Amino acid sequence: DIVMTQSPDSLAVSLGERATINCKSSQSVLYSSNNKNYLAWYQQKPGQPPKLLIYWASTRESGVPDRFSGSGSGTDFTLTISSLQAEDVAVYYCQQYYNSPLTFGGGTTVEIK
Amino acid sequence: QVQLVQSGAEVKKPGASVKVSCKASGYTFTDYYIHWVRQAPGQGLEWVGRIKPSSGGTNSAQKFQGRVTMTGDTSISTAYMELNRLTSDDTAIYYCARGSGVTVAGLIHSWLDPWGQGTLVTVSS
């Protein structure tokens, strides 16, 4: 199974500042045939199910604010919130869909400083 | 809009079984996989398995094989997940989610969107 490791476990950021979350996979999730990274990011607010933010490592889902961006390739990925808003307080998860079983990172909690 | 609505909370005794339903609307049920993911209290996300509603074909994580049964009723656009021989470690919120993505060389690659609201399954004596 591909192991997904997120860092940090939690971070506190001031409103309007940048938040950066890292995700590392135990093997590459880059598919050579189409040069796509099989990685997604989700946001989960308290008491709610996860919500898809990004897929193909950097493609924003429709309706997701452009302050959210994804980057990286191979085994190292980053989710960036460029200007943190109060409504962004949540736990964020990465997920690989390169192969089965689907696996998730342990989550990163984002709070307001 | 695309929506997945799950059945209500369940309380079960150790050794019992639970069956959770997931009703889809707003899209053609047979066009997408349905995945099941669980989340233990205060913990992260764990993939349980998936079903292809058009054929009934299923795949599950190794730890659940032999204990989980996933089915679908295309006439009512509803997927089901049944988990047997419950223990306290199975206490969790169980989510269904639609799989979107690609199939390459027969392999399915899915991100999950949207998710159902979740069903809390509590296993307690």
Side-chain angles (χ1 to χ4, degrees), chain A residues 13-81:
Chain A
V13 176
S14 300
L15 289 172
E17 297 300 304
R18 179 185 300 263
T20 301
I21 300 167
N22 301 301
C23 174
K24 188 175 183 68
S25 55
S26 61
Q27 68 183 73
S28 176
V29 298
L30 173 63
Y31 219 82
S32 57
S33 63
N34 59 8
N35 201 37
K36 286 184 177 292
N37 288 284
Y38 286 48
L39 184 108
W41 287 98
Y42 300 86
Q43 175 193 65
Q44 185 177 32
K45 297 181 179 180
Q48 297 184 19
K51 173 191 172 185
L52 176 70
L53 294 177
I54 287 170
Y55 54 96
W56 296 135
S58 61
T59 301
R60 255 188 317 272
E61 171 71 340
S62 175
V64 173
D66 60 7
R67 64 180 180 271
F68 291 92
S69 63
S71 63
S73 185
T75 60
D76 292 280
F77 300 91
T78 299
L79 175 70
T80 301
I81 309 172

Side-chain angles (χ1 to χ4, degrees), chain B residues 16-63:
Chain B
S17 300
V18 68
K19 190 171 186 177
V20 179
S21 68
C22 171
K23 183 170 177 58
S25 61
Y27 73 98
T28 301
F29 181 61
T30 50
D31 283 353
Y32 294 84
Y33 282 78
I34 291 288
H35 294 249
W36 292 91
V37 176
R38 76 178 187 180
Q39 186 171 37
Q43 301 301 307
L45 302 167
E46 180 179 32
W47 186 74
V48 176
R50 67 178 175 227
I51 180 170
K52 187 177 184 180
S54 60
S55 66
T58 62
N59 299 94
S60 60
Q62 189 167 17
K63 70 178 289 185

Side-chain angles (χ1 to χ4, degrees), chain A residues 42 44 49 61 93 95 97-98, chain B residues 39 95 109-110 112-113 116:
Chain A
Y42 300 86
Q44 185 177 32
E61 171 71 340
Y93 295 94
Q95 174 232 326
Y97 49 98
Y98 184 86
Chain B
Q39 186 171 37
Y95 295 102
H109 305 275
S110 299
L112 306 178
D113 177 61

Side-chain angles (χ1 to χ4, degrees), chain B residues 101-116:
Chain B
V102 296
T103 300
V104 178
L107 297 178
I108 300 97
H109 305 275
S110 299
W111 59 85
L112 306 178
D113 177 61
W115 296 55

